[in-house]
Amino acid sequence: MTSLKALKVRIKSVKSTQKITQAMKMVAASKLRKARTKLECSLPYFNNLKSITNNILPSVDFEEMNDFLKLALKGNSDKKYLIIITSSDRGLCGSFNVNIFKAAKKYIQDIEQLGKNYDIVTIGNKAFDHFKVSHKHKIFTSFSDITKQSLSFDTAKKIADELLNTVLQGAYDHIMIVYSNFKSILSQETHIKQLFPIDIAPNTALPDTAVSYEFEPSPSVILEKILYKNLISQIYHCLLENAASEQGSRMNAMDNATRNASEMINQLSLVYNRTRQSIITKELIEIISGAEAI
């Protein structure tokens, strides 16, 4: 039988843990609100950037494009992939990282079966710690402590510049990113998106208007700048989605942990009361038996 002192210590320990999980849930809720605000505020920029790109494309002659534009729109070949795997820098966020890692490994298996070569870029400490064990020789570079600070466009630009240099040097043909798309606190979907060559899909968010544009200095020069911004904005958008998903998953995990702690406290309190009652009953029986013996 567990002693009363041991039960008291355990109840106190679980209550302390419950206070921590409650605090972490509140912090995650605050960070989630900020991440969603950033995400919602950035969507008009992403949509308008796509619209501008679609308006410029018909005016650009493919033969007059420089190497960057040809690579960005058509690609070079389909031989070597650079796979960006995102994650959190901290744990205690439920199945957030696990789902991303599973999707990344499945995608890696698929391209291996097709005979494609690949390297890995990790964003976040958890991704690096996970893949340095199974794919250490495939890790090209890593970015850590991204989510420990406030995400900014400059952060995405730094990542884009480093990756773009490798593509322009002919080291890679495709850049893919594995990230979590935020749906709700209870739902996050893992997506695999092509960043380069840039997939220019028609923008259905904005109405199509037949407008004639004049470009200065030239459509190809403007398109080069726009596509560069497009690459950075796509990385930034994926990081924002990932950050919102991380906080939503952590908030849900901490909420479940807090509820489990409450249930454990109730069970331990019940065991404590029963043990205490048993000890008192035993002592009363001993007293009564001693009095009868006299």
Side-chain angles (χ1 to χ4, degrees):
M1 183 183 292
T2 308
S3 66
L4 290 177
K5 184 177 180 181
L7 287 170
K8 277 185 178 181
V9 170
R10 195 171 177 188
I11 291 172
K12 184 178 179 182
S13 175
V14 175
K15 285 182 177 179
S16 298
T17 303
Q18 186 184 42
K19 289 180 181 178
I20 294 172
T21 57
Q22 283 178 334
M24 290 186 68
K25 176 186 173 183
M26 294 174 65
V27 171
S30 176
K31 289 184 177 181
L32 173 61
R33 187 162 51 251
K34 292 178 181 178
R36 290 187 64 182
T37 300
K38 271 190 175 183
L39 184 60
E40 291 169 359
C41 290
S42 62
L43 283 176
Y45 175 81
F46 299 145
N47 291 333
N48 280 285
L49 192 63
K50 186 187 295 184
S51 178
I52 292 170
T53 305
N54 290 333
N55 287 331
I56 296 176
L57 274 174
S59 304
V60 179
D61 185 1
F62 184 76
E63 298 299 328
E64 296 178 356
M65 293 183 184
N66 57 25
D67 293 339
F68 169 76
L69 288 177
K70 290 180 180 179
L71 285 173
L73 294 175
K74 301 294 183 179
N76 185 21
S77 62
D78 192 24
K79 295 180 180 179
K80 193 158 188 180
Y81 285 65
L82 190 62
I83 305 171
I84 305 172
I85 302 173
T86 61
S87 71
S88 64
D89 288 303
R90 299 183 177 93
L92 299 176
C93 50
S95 60
F96 169 73
N97 290 317
V98 175
N99 291 336
I100 293 177
F101 298 160
K102 283 183 179 178
K105 286 183 175 180
K106 185 179 183 304
Y107 181 72
I108 288 172
Q109 288 177 353
D110 291 341
I111 64 173
E112 282 178 341
Q113 291 176 357
L114 295 173
K116 311 295 183 183
N117 294 322
Y118 67 92
D119 279 332
I120 293 172
V121 174
T122 61
I123 297 180
N125 293 332
K126 294 300 179 180
F128 178 75
D129 292 341
H130 183 83
F131 284 93
K132 75 177 180 181
V133 177
S134 57
H135 297 76
K136 184 177 181 180
H137 62 291
K138 287 292 187 179
I139 295 180
F140 171 70
T141 188
S142 60
F143 299 91
S144 58
D145 298 335
I146 295 294
T147 60
K148 288 183 179 179
Q149 53 192 353
S150 179
L151 283 173
S152 65
F153 199 77
D154 290 336
T155 304
K157 183 178 182 300
K158 178 183 176 183
I159 297 173
D161 287 341
E162 187 166 340
L163 300 181
L164 193 58
N165 287 334
T166 62
V167 174
L168 295 178
Q169 291 170 7
Y172 302 99
D173 308 307
H174 285 68
I175 300 178
M176 312 296 293
I177 186 168
V178 187
Y179 69 102
S180 182
N181 190 43
F182 180 80
K183 295 295 183 183
S184 68
I185 295 174
L186 300 176
S187 174
Q188 299 90 34
E189 295 180 357
T190 304
H191 285 188
I192 300 174
K193 184 177 183 180
Q194 177 176 304
L195 294 178
F196 200 92
I198 296 172
D199 185 16
I200 306 298
N203 184 18
T204 56
L206 297 174
D208 251 348
T209 54
V211 180
S212 177
Y213 294 94
E214 292 184 3
F215 301 97
E216 180 66 31
S218 68
S220 60
V221 173
I222 296 174
L223 183 61
E224 181 179 357
K225 301 293 184 183
I226 293 296
L227 289 182
Y228 174 63
K229 291 285 187 183
N230 189 296
L231 177 62
I232 299 173
S233 68
Q234 285 192 72
I235 294 175
Y236 184 49
H237 179 70
C238 292
L239 292 178
L240 288 177
E241 290 277 8
N242 217 54
S245 298
E246 177 191 346
Q247 299 306 329
S249 182
R250 179 173 286 112
M251 183 179 173
N252 188 40
M254 292 302 101
D255 182 56
N256 290 335
T258 302
R259 292 180 183 179
N260 291 338
S262 296
E263 292 177 2
M264 187 175 291
I265 290 169
N266 292 335
Q267 291 175 358
L268 289 172
S269 298
L270 184 61
V271 173
Y272 175 83
N273 291 332
R274 286 177 177 175
T275 304
R276 182 171 175 271
Q277 185 179 8
S278 176
I279 292 172
I280 293 172
T281 303
K282 183 179 178 181
E283 290 176 351
L284 287 174
I285 291 173
E286 290 176 353
I287 293 170
I288 294 170
S289 299
E292 289 178 351
I294 294 173

